[in-house]
Every structure is written in structure tokens, then in C-alpha cells.
Amino acid sequence: MTSFLLAMTFFLVVMVAVGLFCVLRGASNADRMMAVQLFGTGGIAALLLVGVAHGTEGVVDVVLTLSVLAAFAAVAFVKADESSAKDENRPEQGS
């Protein structure tokens, strides 16, 4: 069972590497943010699989913390994108 979990971890790490390639070549900021979310999700899953394979229970706490941080990152991205869209639509003053 341990070797299966470690093999799945390797598969996830390879998929995360592909996601990282998308981050580097992403067409827009939204594409890059989605790839970063995929990177976070894959990393969390890989960390959880390694923790279960080695019987480390503290990994679950780390995984939960990272998943909450990933959700906050997505919310921050949306808020920043909304505020930049409002700034682009605002008429310039003083000219």
C-alpha cells in the first residue's frame, strides 16, 4: 500500500510540474491563477499522501492550513482584479 501511495505522489508531482509550466506560459492572469490553484491542490494532495504513507498524523494539520491559505489567495486575486477593473473604468480627473 505504501508503494502505491508513493507512486501516486510521484504522479501528482509530475502533474504539478505540468501546471507550473502553464503558470510560466499562461496567457492571462486568470489562467495563471488557476494554474497556481492547481499547483496548490496537487501539492496538498501529494503532501497528504506522503503523510499517510509514512504514518505522520501532523501532516493533516499542515495540509488544512495550506488549503485555507490557497482559498485566501484566490479571494485576494479576485478582489485585486475587481479593483483594477474599477480603476480602468474611472474617468481621469484634472485634465
Side-chain angles (χ1 to χ4, degrees):
M1 185 69 176
T2 301
S3 61
F4 175 74
L5 292 176
L6 292 177
M8 289 295 106
T9 302
F10 177 74
F11 176 73
L12 282 172
V13 169
V14 169
M15 292 294 110
V16 167
V18 171
L20 185 60
F21 180 73
C22 291
V23 168
L24 296 175
R25 296 187 47 101
S28 68
N29 288 337
D31 292 338
R32 290 183 181 135
M33 187 63 199
M34 293 304 294
V36 167
Q37 288 295 315
L38 176 66
F39 182 75
T41 303
I44 287 169
L47 190 61
L48 190 59
L49 285 173
V50 169
V52 169
H54 292 290
T56 308
E57 295 180 8
V59 172
V60 175
D61 295 334
V62 173
V63 166
L64 289 175
T65 303
L66 290 176
S67 64
V68 169
L69 289 176
F72 282 134
V75 170
F77 173 77
V78 170
K79 290 290 187 183
D81 193 45
E82 285 178 353
S83 66
S84 67
K86 286 179 184 176
D87 289 341
E88 289 176 1
N89 293 334
R90 182 180 302 161
E92 294 188 25
Q93 297 176 356
S95 0

